[in-house]
Amino acid sequence: MHVLLTAGPTYEPLDPVRFLGNRSTGKMGYALAAAFAAEGAEVTLVSGPSHLPDPASPRIRTVRVETAAEMFAAAAEAAPAADVWVFAAAVADYRPAHVAIEKIKKTGETLTLELVKNVDIAATLGQSKRAEQFAVGFALETTNELAHAQDKLHRKNFDLIVLNSLRDAGAGFGHDTNKVTVLDAAGQIVNFELQSKADVARGLVSLILARLAPTS
Ligand code: CTP
């Protein structure tokens, strides 16, 4: 079985020394890569800038990227041959419209940045998903969590969506623990209690493997 995983943040350059980024560490995605490899899968881990070292498993090939555009290119290359796609990356939705060649100097009292939309990696690949392929997305919502997650699942052609809890101490960005709710297209819900990201990853992988078409 082949798995494509996106993980970590993306950095969108502004000038030679600055970028727009986010607080994703890549921990959840790297834990998923390890859990899939432990089940015997071959994993392509497309990782944005994470401080985590490349996983040592020979079953995990790590492709390091920086921007959403680079992440899309690497993911699009691996997607057709992968049986399972897992989009755990926190992709920047927008990037600076212009990347300054020289360092931006401090001139006025205010500075306005123009941003343009990045490619939606999951949604774009989702349009070419074959019937036997299985896609899993992540969502982090602050209002109407279940409804927004369900909508995202349909929009991006996911088979499952993993909703990160924002309400619980110890869950989410930077933590070693996580608490998630998994939804499928039929609205069926599986709750995972607060536990280590490694345990959440193992639980998610067994859920995904159980849902895979019997032919794969
Ligand atoms: N995603 C992606 N490419 C993007 C944005 C998001 O592949 N440019 C993926 C994420 O990896 C995640 C899922 O889409 O699996 C949902 O990401 P999220 O940021 O919650 O969704 P958005 O589409 O950005 O929706 P919004 O910010 O409006 O809630």
Side-chain angles (χ1 to χ4, degrees):
M1 187 176 64
H2 283 84
V3 178
L4 162 66
L5 248 162
T6 68
T10 66
Y11 285 2
E12 309 298 330
L14 194 52
D15 71 10
V17 294
R18 304 185 179 98
F19 59 85
L20 300 183
N22 62 68
R23 295 186 192 281
S24 167
T25 59
K27 279 180 187 168
M28 195 62 238
Y30 280 56
L32 281 163
F36 274 114
E39 292 293 332
E42 298 290 329
V43 181
T44 301
L45 174 63
V46 180
S47 175
S50 165
H51 295 298
L52 298 171
D54 284 6
S57 166
R59 291 211 182 88
I60 305 174
R61 184 173 70 94
T62 307
V63 183
R64 295 266 176 185
V65 297
E66 202 165 287
T67 63
E70 290 167 5
M71 185 173 277
F72 176 67
E77 200 177 307
D83 306 288
V84 178
W85 302 341
V86 182
F87 300 102
V91 185
D93 289 327
Y94 295 88
R95 68 179 182 280
H98 310 284
V99 181
I101 294 170
E102 305 293 346
K103 186 182 168 209
I104 298 170
K105 298 299 283 179
K106 174 163 77 264
T107 46
E109 285 305 310
T110 60
L111 174 69
T112 304
L113 295 176
E114 190 188 352
L115 304 178
V116 292
K117 211 173 211 171
N118 270 334
V119 58
D120 190 317
I121 299 167
T124 307
L125 293 180
Q127 288 169 8
S128 62
K129 189 177 65 148
R130 301 189 303 272
E132 76 279 12
Q133 290 180 306
F134 195 89
V136 182
F138 277 73
L140 198 153
E141 310 288 345
T142 52
T143 53
N144 292 329
E145 288 118 313
L146 291 177
H148 279 138
Q150 191 82 22
D151 173 63
K152 217 165 262 184
L153 175 145
H154 290 295
R155 252 190 308 123
K156 304 200 185 197
N157 201 11
F158 294 146
D159 297 281
L160 291 177
I161 191 155
V162 183
L163 180 59
N164 277 299
S165 170
L166 261 185
R167 302 224 170 118
D168 299 272
F173 283 158
H175 292 286
D176 289 321
T177 50
N178 208 3
K179 183 174 174 186
V180 302
T181 299
V182 185
L183 298 181
D184 68 10
Q188 208 182 323
I189 293 176
V190 182
N191 284 308
F192 285 67
E193 281 315 305
L194 185 71
Q195 53 193 313
S196 73
K197 285 186 174 173
D199 285 337
V200 174
R202 279 189 279 272
L204 288 174
V205 167
S206 37
L207 191 65
I208 293 164
L209 295 179
R211 296 267 181 139
L212 277 177
T215 50
S216 58

